[in-house]
Amino acid sequence: MENREKTKIFSIFSLSMKISFSASALLTGTRIACALLNAILPTFKILLMKYIIEALSQKQKSETMRIVIIYIIMILCGVIVEKINGYCVLLHNEKIGLNVSNFIIDKVVSLDISYFDTPSLYDEMNIVTASGGSISNLFWSFISLIQGVIQLVVSFVILCKLGPIYAIILMAASVPFFFVEQNNGIETYLWNRE
């Protein structure tokens, strides 16, 4: 990719982040926190299942009960995080849509009246309206990418403790997927923009 395209993508990413934070900094922060928790919780649930199986095989009833209680608490935390995230996503997307619409209206109001006689104005307004959601979703695609990287790192660390061969297999399987997803996201955005 050329430097010009990278600069353009970075500026669009900055705009996307600005749109999210200007709609609601609290909802943006909550969604980021939920994404980070969703990156960590599943791996720890799997690790707890391992400990439960080990405690059951060694017939340690009190240890098993303690780990089961921790596991249940983690499941409840996961459900609560999912509910909070779902609510925040709905509310935040509404606020983002409202902000983008208000931004478009402010720009249209500031235009000279001669622009309204040209059909290109309506084409441009349609393009901006249609791409407003895509631009705001770019930031959340990046957050999803970070969430995936965190899941990969946490899984890698845990698998290294269990056996280095498992960690190597995980990395070998994940690296191609990471590059394909990254390239796919950028190409899809550029294609939609064009």
Side-chain angles (χ1 to χ4, degrees), residues 111-143:
L111 292 174
D112 186 56
I113 198 150
S114 63
Y115 281 105
F116 291 96
D117 291 334
T118 61
S120 63
L121 171 73
Y122 296 106
D123 291 341
E124 289 175 11
M125 283 176 49
N126 286 335
I127 290 170
V128 169
T129 304
S131 63
S134 299
I135 291 172
S136 64
N137 286 334
L138 183 64
F139 176 65
W140 296 107
S141 297
F142 178 72
I143 295 297

PDB file of all heavy atoms in Angstrom, residues 111-143:
ATOM      1  N   LEU A 111     -23.977  25.343   3.060  1.00  0.00           N
ATOM      2  CA  LEU A 111     -23.668  25.438   1.631  1.00  0.00           C
ATOM      3  C   LEU A 111     -24.376  26.631   0.992  1.00  0.00           C
ATOM      4  O   LEU A 111     -25.450  27.049   1.424  1.00  0.00           O
ATOM      5  CB  LEU A 111     -24.081  24.161   0.905  1.00  0.00           C
ATOM      6  CG  LEU A 111     -23.315  22.895   1.224  1.00  0.00           C
ATOM      7  CD1 LEU A 111     -23.949  21.703   0.533  1.00  0.00           C
ATOM      8  CD2 LEU A 111     -21.856  23.029   0.805  1.00  0.00           C
ATOM      9  N   ASP A 112     -23.779  27.124  -0.070  1.00  0.00           N
ATOM     10  CA  ASP A 112     -24.389  28.191  -0.855  1.00  0.00           C
ATOM     11  C   ASP A 112     -25.614  27.622  -1.576  1.00  0.00           C
ATOM     12  O   ASP A 112     -25.628  26.454  -1.953  1.00  0.00           O
ATOM     13  CB  ASP A 112     -23.365  28.729  -1.856  1.00  0.00           C
ATOM     14  CG  ASP A 112     -23.878  29.943  -2.598  1.00  0.00           C
ATOM     15  OD1 ASP A 112     -24.253  30.920  -1.934  1.00  0.00           O
ATOM     16  OD2 ASP A 112     -23.896  29.888  -3.833  1.00  0.00           O
ATOM     17  N   ILE A 113     -26.608  28.439  -1.792  1.00  0.00           N
ATOM     18  CA  ILE A 113     -27.860  27.965  -2.397  1.00  0.00           C
ATOM     19  C   ILE A 113     -27.663  27.461  -3.828  1.00  0.00           C
ATOM     20  O   ILE A 113     -28.439  26.624  -4.306  1.00  0.00           O
ATOM     21  CB  ILE A 113     -28.944  29.071  -2.343  1.00  0.00           C
ATOM     22  CG1 ILE A 113     -30.313  28.443  -2.549  1.00  0.00           C
ATOM     23  CG2 ILE A 113     -28.693  30.145  -3.358  1.00  0.00           C
ATOM     24  CD1 ILE A 113     -31.407  29.143  -1.870  1.00  0.00           C
ATOM     25  N   SER A 114     -26.613  27.896  -4.497  1.00  0.00           N
ATOM     26  CA  SER A 114     -26.377  27.455  -5.871  1.00  0.00           C
ATOM     27  C   SER A 114     -26.037  25.960  -5.935  1.00  0.00           C
ATOM     28  O   SER A 114     -26.254  25.323  -6.966  1.00  0.00           O
ATOM     29  CB  SER A 114     -25.248  28.272  -6.506  1.00  0.00           C
ATOM     30  OG  SER A 114     -24.040  28.054  -5.801  1.00  0.00           O
ATOM     31  N   TYR A 115     -25.517  25.403  -4.843  1.00  0.00           N
ATOM     32  CA  TYR A 115     -25.199  23.973  -4.823  1.00  0.00           C
ATOM     33  C   TYR A 115     -26.454  23.107  -4.942  1.00  0.00           C
ATOM     34  O   TYR A 115     -26.401  21.983  -5.407  1.00  0.00           O
ATOM     35  CB  TYR A 115     -24.461  23.592  -3.538  1.00  0.00           C
ATOM     36  CG  TYR A 115     -23.006  23.955  -3.558  1.00  0.00           C
ATOM     37  CD1 TYR A 115     -22.543  25.033  -2.825  1.00  0.00           C
ATOM     38  CD2 TYR A 115     -22.100  23.218  -4.300  1.00  0.00           C
ATOM     39  CE1 TYR A 115     -21.207  25.371  -2.824  1.00  0.00           C
ATOM     40  CE2 TYR A 115     -20.759  23.554  -4.315  1.00  0.00           C
ATOM     41  CZ  TYR A 115     -20.320  24.628  -3.574  1.00  0.00           C
ATOM     42  OH  TYR A 115     -18.999  24.963  -3.586  1.00  0.00           O
ATOM     43  N   PHE A 116     -27.578  23.617  -4.504  1.00  0.00           N
ATOM     44  CA  PHE A 116     -28.809  22.824  -4.501  1.00  0.00           C
ATOM     45  C   PHE A 116     -29.388  22.627  -5.895  1.00  0.00           C
ATOM     46  O   PHE A 116     -30.304  21.822  -6.071  1.00  0.00           O
ATOM     47  CB  PHE A 116     -29.854  23.455  -3.568  1.00  0.00           C
ATOM     48  CG  PHE A 116     -29.462  23.354  -2.124  1.00  0.00           C
ATOM     49  CD1 PHE A 116     -28.821  24.404  -1.474  1.00  0.00           C
ATOM     50  CD2 PHE A 116     -29.709  22.199  -1.412  1.00  0.00           C
ATOM     51  CE1 PHE A 116     -28.443  24.304  -0.159  1.00  0.00           C
ATOM     52  CE2 PHE A 116     -29.339  22.088  -0.089  1.00  0.00           C
ATOM     53  CZ  PHE A 116     -28.702  23.139   0.539  1.00  0.00           C
ATOM     54  N   ASP A 117     -28.869  23.356  -6.872  1.00  0.00           N
ATOM     55  CA  ASP A 117     -29.319  23.188  -8.248  1.00  0.00           C
ATOM     56  C   ASP A 117     -28.538  22.105  -8.977  1.00  0.00           C
ATOM     57  O   ASP A 117     -28.874  21.780 -10.115  1.00  0.00           O
ATOM     58  CB  ASP A 117     -29.184  24.518  -9.021  1.00  0.00           C
ATOM     59  CG  ASP A 117     -30.167  25.559  -8.520  1.00  0.00           C
ATOM     60  OD1 ASP A 117     -31.217  25.152  -7.983  1.00  0.00           O
ATOM     61  OD2 ASP A 117     -29.871  26.766  -8.652  1.00  0.00           O
ATOM     62  N   THR A 118     -27.512  21.578  -8.364  1.00  0.00           N
ATOM     63  CA  THR A 118     -26.683  20.574  -9.034  1.00  0.00           C
ATOM     64  C   THR A 118     -27.019  19.176  -8.518  1.00  0.00           C
ATOM     65  O   THR A 118     -27.166  18.961  -7.312  1.00  0.00           O
ATOM     66  CB  THR A 118     -25.185  20.844  -8.786  1.00  0.00           C
ATOM     67  OG1 THR A 118     -24.929  20.775  -7.391  1.00  0.00           O
ATOM     68  CG2 THR A 118     -24.774  22.206  -9.315  1.00  0.00           C
ATOM     69  N   PRO A 119     -27.164  18.223  -9.445  1.00  0.00           N
ATOM     70  CA  PRO A 119     -27.460  16.853  -9.017  1.00  0.00           C
ATOM     71  C   PRO A 119     -26.293  16.198  -8.262  1.00  0.00           C
ATOM     72  O   PRO A 119     -26.482  15.276  -7.488  1.00  0.00           O
ATOM     73  CB  PRO A 119     -27.751  16.106 -10.311  1.00  0.00           C
ATOM     74  CG  PRO A 119     -27.391  17.004 -11.431  1.00  0.00           C
ATOM     75  CD  PRO A 119     -27.168  18.373 -10.886  1.00  0.00           C
ATOM     76  N   SER A 120     -25.082  16.721  -8.471  1.00  0.00           N
ATOM     77  CA  SER A 120     -23.927  16.128  -7.789  1.00  0.00           C
ATOM     78  C   SER A 120     -24.024  16.308  -6.276  1.00  0.00           C
ATOM     79  O   SER A 120     -23.504  15.479  -5.515  1.00  0.00           O
ATOM     80  CB  SER A 120     -22.625  16.730  -8.316  1.00  0.00           C
ATOM     81  OG  SER A 120     -22.569  18.109  -8.029  1.00  0.00           O
ATOM     82  N   LEU A 121     -24.695  17.380  -5.818  1.00  0.00           N
ATOM     83  CA  LEU A 121     -24.871  17.586  -4.377  1.00  0.00           C
ATOM     84  C   LEU A 121     -25.649  16.422  -3.768  1.00  0.00           C
ATOM     85  O   LEU A 121     -25.263  15.886  -2.717  1.00  0.00           O
ATOM     86  CB  LEU A 121     -25.589  18.900  -4.094  1.00  0.00           C
ATOM     87  CG  LEU A 121     -25.998  19.089  -2.617  1.00  0.00           C
ATOM     88  CD1 LEU A 121     -24.777  19.371  -1.766  1.00  0.00           C
ATOM     89  CD2 LEU A 121     -27.017  20.185  -2.486  1.00  0.00           C
ATOM     90  N   TYR A 122     -26.705  16.018  -4.425  1.00  0.00           N
ATOM     91  CA  TYR A 122     -27.521  14.918  -3.890  1.00  0.00           C
ATOM     92  C   TYR A 122     -26.754  13.594  -3.921  1.00  0.00           C
ATOM     93  O   TYR A 122     -26.881  12.785  -3.012  1.00  0.00           O
ATOM     94  CB  TYR A 122     -28.838  14.829  -4.663  1.00  0.00           C
ATOM     95  CG  TYR A 122     -29.683  16.059  -4.472  1.00  0.00           C
ATOM     96  CD1 TYR A 122     -29.816  17.000  -5.477  1.00  0.00           C
ATOM     97  CD2 TYR A 122     -30.316  16.290  -3.246  1.00  0.00           C
ATOM     98  CE1 TYR A 122     -30.565  18.145  -5.288  1.00  0.00           C
ATOM     99  CE2 TYR A 122     -31.073  17.444  -3.046  1.00  0.00           C
ATOM    100  CZ  TYR A 122     -31.193  18.357  -4.076  1.00  0.00           C
ATOM    101  OH  TYR A 122     -31.926  19.493  -3.880  1.00  0.00           O
ATOM    102  N   ASP A 123     -25.948  13.418  -4.968  1.00  0.00           N
ATOM    103  CA  ASP A 123     -25.109  12.210  -5.022  1.00  0.00           C
ATOM    104  C   ASP A 123     -24.116  12.197  -3.862  1.00  0.00           C
ATOM    105  O   ASP A 123     -23.924  11.181  -3.201  1.00  0.00           O
ATOM    106  CB  ASP A 123     -24.353  12.139  -6.356  1.00  0.00           C
ATOM    107  CG  ASP A 123     -25.276  11.886  -7.532  1.00  0.00           C
ATOM    108  OD1 ASP A 123     -26.413  11.406  -7.295  1.00  0.00           O
ATOM    109  OD2 ASP A 123     -24.866  12.163  -8.673  1.00  0.00           O
ATOM    110  N   GLU A 124     -23.473  13.339  -3.632  1.00  0.00           N
ATOM    111  CA  GLU A 124     -22.508  13.430  -2.537  1.00  0.00           C
ATOM    112  C   GLU A 124     -23.181  13.217  -1.185  1.00  0.00           C
ATOM    113  O   GLU A 124     -22.630  12.557  -0.301  1.00  0.00           O
ATOM    114  CB  GLU A 124     -21.783  14.777  -2.580  1.00  0.00           C
ATOM    115  CG  GLU A 124     -20.815  14.898  -3.729  1.00  0.00           C
ATOM    116  CD  GLU A 124     -20.193  16.281  -3.838  1.00  0.00           C
ATOM    117  OE1 GLU A 124     -20.351  17.095  -2.904  1.00  0.00           O
ATOM    118  OE2 GLU A 124     -19.556  16.544  -4.873  1.00  0.00           O
ATOM    119  N   MET A 125     -24.384  13.790  -1.012  1.00  0.00           N
ATOM    120  CA  MET A 125     -25.110  13.606   0.255  1.00  0.00           C
ATOM    121  C   MET A 125     -25.460  12.136   0.467  1.00  0.00           C
ATOM    122  O   MET A 125     -25.341  11.614   1.581  1.00  0.00           O
ATOM    123  CB  MET A 125     -26.383  14.469   0.274  1.00  0.00           C
ATOM    124  CG  MET A 125     -26.103  15.923   0.541  1.00  0.00           C
ATOM    125  SD  MET A 125     -27.580  16.970   0.459  1.00  0.00           S
ATOM    126  CE  MET A 125     -28.739  16.102   1.463  1.00  0.00           C
ATOM    127  N   ASN A 126     -25.869  11.454  -0.603  1.00  0.00           N
ATOM    128  CA  ASN A 126     -26.183  10.031  -0.490  1.00  0.00           C
ATOM    129  C   ASN A 126     -24.947   9.209  -0.139  1.00  0.00           C
ATOM    130  O   ASN A 126     -25.015   8.278   0.668  1.00  0.00           O
ATOM    131  CB  ASN A 126     -26.812   9.510  -1.786  1.00  0.00           C
ATOM    132  CG  ASN A 126     -28.238   9.980  -1.957  1.00  0.00           C
ATOM    133  OD1 ASN A 126     -28.918  10.279  -0.979  1.00  0.00           O
ATOM    134  ND2 ASN A 126     -28.691  10.059  -3.189  1.00  0.00           N
ATOM    135  N   ILE A 127     -23.812   9.554  -0.746  1.00  0.00           N
ATOM    136  CA  ILE A 127     -22.567   8.833  -0.457  1.00  0.00           C
ATOM    137  C   ILE A 127     -22.165   9.050   0.994  1.00  0.00           C
ATOM    138  O   ILE A 127     -21.811   8.100   1.698  1.00  0.00           O
ATOM    139  CB  ILE A 127     -21.441   9.299  -1.420  1.00  0.00           C
ATOM    140  CG1 ILE A 127     -21.730   8.799  -2.832  1.00  0.00           C
ATOM    141  CG2 ILE A 127     -20.081   8.814  -0.943  1.00  0.00           C
ATOM    142  CD1 ILE A 127     -20.829   9.403  -3.897  1.00  0.00           C
ATOM    143  N   VAL A 128     -22.243  10.289   1.473  1.00  0.00           N
ATOM    144  CA  VAL A 128     -21.868  10.588   2.857  1.00  0.00           C
ATOM    145  C   VAL A 128     -22.811   9.885   3.825  1.00  0.00           C
ATOM    146  O   VAL A 128     -22.366   9.293   4.821  1.00  0.00           O
ATOM    147  CB  VAL A 128     -21.860  12.117   3.101  1.00  0.00           C
ATOM    148  CG1 VAL A 128     -21.749  12.436   4.573  1.00  0.00           C
ATOM    149  CG2 VAL A 128     -20.728  12.764   2.323  1.00  0.00           C
ATOM    150  N   THR A 129     -24.087   9.914   3.534  1.00  0.00           N
ATOM    151  CA  THR A 129     -25.056   9.262   4.415  1.00  0.00           C
ATOM    152  C   THR A 129     -24.829   7.754   4.455  1.00  0.00           C
ATOM    153  O   THR A 129     -24.859   7.144   5.526  1.00  0.00           O
ATOM    154  CB  THR A 129     -26.499   9.569   3.941  1.00  0.00           C
ATOM    155  OG1 THR A 129     -26.675  10.979   3.883  1.00  0.00           O
ATOM    156  CG2 THR A 129     -27.518   8.971   4.878  1.00  0.00           C
ATOM    157  N   ALA A 130     -24.581   7.164   3.297  1.00  0.00           N
ATOM    158  CA  ALA A 130     -24.380   5.717   3.235  1.00  0.00           C
ATOM    159  C   ALA A 130     -23.068   5.291   3.883  1.00  0.00           C
ATOM    160  O   ALA A 130     -22.987   4.232   4.504  1.00  0.00           O
ATOM    161  CB  ALA A 130     -24.420   5.250   1.785  1.00  0.00           C
ATOM    162  N   SER A 131     -22.028   6.111   3.740  1.00  0.00           N
ATOM    163  CA  SER A 131     -20.729   5.712   4.283  1.00  0.00           C
ATOM    164  C   SER A 131     -20.522   6.148   5.722  1.00  0.00           C
ATOM    165  O   SER A 131     -19.529   5.770   6.337  1.00  0.00           O
ATOM    166  CB  SER A 131     -19.598   6.258   3.408  1.00  0.00           C
ATOM    167  OG  SER A 131     -19.610   7.664   3.415  1.00  0.00           O
ATOM    168  N   GLY A 132     -21.444   6.918   6.287  1.00  0.00           N
ATOM    169  CA  GLY A 132     -21.309   7.363   7.674  1.00  0.00           C
ATOM    170  C   GLY A 132     -21.222   6.200   8.647  1.00  0.00           C
ATOM    171  O   GLY A 132     -20.381   6.179   9.548  1.00  0.00           O
ATOM    172  N   GLY A 133     -22.064   5.194   8.467  1.00  0.00           N
ATOM    173  CA  GLY A 133     -22.030   4.020   9.336  1.00  0.00           C
ATOM    174  C   GLY A 133     -20.769   3.212   9.162  1.00  0.00           C
ATOM    175  O   GLY A 133     -20.200   2.709  10.134  1.00  0.00           O
ATOM    176  N   SER A 134     -20.301   3.110   7.912  1.00  0.00           N
ATOM    177  CA  SER A 134     -19.074   2.352   7.656  1.00  0.00           C
ATOM    178  C   SER A 134     -17.867   3.010   8.291  1.00  0.00           C
ATOM    179  O   SER A 134     -17.007   2.337   8.846  1.00  0.00           O
ATOM    180  CB  SER A 134     -18.832   2.237   6.150  1.00  0.00           C
ATOM    181  OG  SER A 134     -19.889   1.558   5.531  1.00  0.00           O
ATOM    182  N   ILE A 135     -17.816   4.315   8.233  1.00  0.00           N
ATOM    183  CA  ILE A 135     -16.684   5.026   8.825  1.00  0.00           C
ATOM    184  C   ILE A 135     -16.680   4.852  10.335  1.00  0.00           C
ATOM    185  O   ILE A 135     -15.644   4.592  10.945  1.00  0.00           O
ATOM    186  CB  ILE A 135     -16.711   6.520   8.428  1.00  0.00           C
ATOM    187  CG1 ILE A 135     -16.405   6.662   6.945  1.00  0.00           C
ATOM    188  CG2 ILE A 135     -15.726   7.328   9.258  1.00  0.00           C
ATOM    189  CD1 ILE A 135     -16.578   8.054   6.396  1.00  0.00           C
ATOM    190  N   SER A 136     -17.846   4.959  10.971  1.00  0.00           N
ATOM    191  CA  SER A 136     -17.886   4.805  12.427  1.00  0.00           C
ATOM    192  C   SER A 136     -17.586   3.367  12.844  1.00  0.00           C
ATOM    193  O   SER A 136     -17.062   3.128  13.927  1.00  0.00           O
ATOM    194  CB  SER A 136     -19.233   5.258  12.981  1.00  0.00           C
ATOM    195  OG  SER A 136     -20.270   4.442  12.500  1.00  0.00           O
ATOM    196  N   ASN A 137     -17.883   2.393  11.988  1.00  0.00           N
ATOM    197  CA  ASN A 137     -17.605   0.992  12.313  1.00  0.00           C
ATOM    198  C   ASN A 137     -16.128   0.633  12.184  1.00  0.00           C
ATOM    199  O   ASN A 137     -15.694  -0.385  12.712  1.00  0.00           O
ATOM    200  CB  ASN A 137     -18.427   0.052  11.426  1.00  0.00           C
ATOM    201  CG  ASN A 137     -19.867   0.020  11.838  1.00  0.00           C
ATOM    202  OD1 ASN A 137     -20.213   0.279  12.985  1.00  0.00           O
ATOM    203  ND2 ASN A 137     -20.745  -0.290  10.897  1.00  0.00           N
ATOM    204  N   LEU A 138     -15.345   1.461  11.502  1.00  0.00           N
ATOM    205  CA  LEU A 138     -13.920   1.177  11.332  1.00  0.00           C
ATOM    206  C   LEU A 138     -13.208   1.102  12.684  1.00  0.00           C
ATOM    207  O   LEU A 138     -12.404   0.208  12.925  1.00  0.00           O
ATOM    208  CB  LEU A 138     -13.285   2.245  10.446  1.00  0.00           C
ATOM    209  CG  LEU A 138     -11.813   2.055  10.116  1.00  0.00           C
ATOM    210  CD1 LEU A 138     -11.622   0.792   9.288  1.00  0.00           C
ATOM    211  CD2 LEU A 138     -11.287   3.266   9.369  1.00  0.00           C
ATOM    212  N   PHE A 139     -13.525   2.021  13.585  1.00  0.00           N
ATOM    213  CA  PHE A 139     -12.911   2.032  14.916  1.00  0.00           C
ATOM    214  C   PHE A 139     -13.243   0.745  15.668  1.00  0.00           C
ATOM    215  O   PHE A 139     -12.391   0.151  16.314  1.00  0.00           O
ATOM    216  CB  PHE A 139     -13.384   3.264  15.694  1.00  0.00           C
ATOM    217  CG  PHE A 139     -12.879   3.323  17.109  1.00  0.00           C
ATOM    218  CD1 PHE A 139     -11.533   3.468  17.368  1.00  0.00           C
ATOM    219  CD2 PHE A 139     -13.760   3.242  18.177  1.00  0.00           C
ATOM    220  CE1 PHE A 139     -11.063   3.531  18.680  1.00  0.00           C
ATOM    221  CE2 PHE A 139     -13.305   3.303  19.475  1.00  0.00           C
ATOM    222  CZ  PHE A 139     -11.946   3.452  19.724  1.00  0.00           C
ATOM    223  N   TRP A 140     -14.490   0.292  15.550  1.00  0.00           N
ATOM    224  CA  TRP A 140     -14.898  -0.913  16.274  1.00  0.00           C
ATOM    225  C   TRP A 140     -14.322  -2.169  15.637  1.00  0.00           C
ATOM    226  O   TRP A 140     -14.090  -3.161  16.320  1.00  0.00           O
ATOM    227  CB  TRP A 140     -16.421  -0.958  16.405  1.00  0.00           C
ATOM    228  CG  TRP A 140     -16.834   0.205  17.247  1.00  0.00           C
ATOM    229  CD1 TRP A 140     -17.462   1.336  16.836  1.00  0.00           C
ATOM    230  CD2 TRP A 140     -16.548   0.392  18.634  1.00  0.00           C
ATOM    231  NE1 TRP A 140     -17.595   2.209  17.884  1.00  0.00           N
ATOM    232  CE2 TRP A 140     -17.045   1.652  19.005  1.00  0.00           C
ATOM    233  CE3 TRP A 140     -15.918  -0.389  19.608  1.00  0.00           C
ATOM    234  CZ2 TRP A 140     -16.940   2.151  20.304  1.00  0.00           C
ATOM    235  CZ3 TRP A 140     -15.813   0.109  20.894  1.00  0.00           C
ATOM    236  CH2 TRP A 140     -16.322   1.361  21.229  1.00  0.00           C
ATOM    237  N   SER A 141     -14.036  -2.119  14.353  1.00  0.00           N
ATOM    238  CA  SER A 141     -13.324  -3.232  13.718  1.00  0.00           C
ATOM    239  C   SER A 141     -11.906  -3.324  14.277  1.00  0.00           C
ATOM    240  O   SER A 141     -11.385  -4.416  14.519  1.00  0.00           O
ATOM    241  CB  SER A 141     -13.268  -3.050  12.205  1.00  0.00           C
ATOM    242  OG  SER A 141     -14.562  -3.070  11.665  1.00  0.00           O
ATOM    243  N   PHE A 142     -11.291  -2.171  14.501  1.00  0.00           N
ATOM    244  CA  PHE A 142      -9.950  -2.142  15.092  1.00  0.00           C
ATOM    245  C   PHE A 142      -9.987  -2.677  16.524  1.00  0.00           C
ATOM    246  O   PHE A 142      -9.110  -3.441  16.929  1.00  0.00           O
ATOM    247  CB  PHE A 142      -9.404  -0.705  15.061  1.00  0.00           C
ATOM    248  CG  PHE A 142      -8.050  -0.574  15.686  1.00  0.00           C
ATOM    249  CD1 PHE A 142      -6.927  -1.078  15.046  1.00  0.00           C
ATOM    250  CD2 PHE A 142      -7.896   0.058  16.907  1.00  0.00           C
ATOM    251  CE1 PHE A 142      -5.672  -0.953  15.625  1.00  0.00           C
ATOM    252  CE2 PHE A 142      -6.651   0.184  17.489  1.00  0.00           C
ATOM    253  CZ  PHE A 142      -5.531  -0.318  16.845  1.00  0.00           C
ATOM    254  N   ILE A 143     -11.014  -2.306  17.288  1.00  0.00           N
ATOM    255  CA  ILE A 143     -11.148  -2.806  18.661  1.00  0.00           C
ATOM    256  C   ILE A 143     -11.334  -4.324  18.631  1.00  0.00           C
ATOM    257  O   ILE A 143     -10.767  -5.041  19.466  1.00  0.00           O
ATOM    258  CB  ILE A 143     -12.326  -2.120  19.400  1.00  0.00           C
ATOM    259  CG1 ILE A 143     -12.047  -0.619  19.566  1.00  0.00           C
ATOM    260  CG2 ILE A 143     -12.600  -2.768  20.742  1.00  0.00           C
ATOM    261  CD1 ILE A 143     -10.851  -0.277  20.414  1.00  0.00           C
TER     262      ILE A 143
END
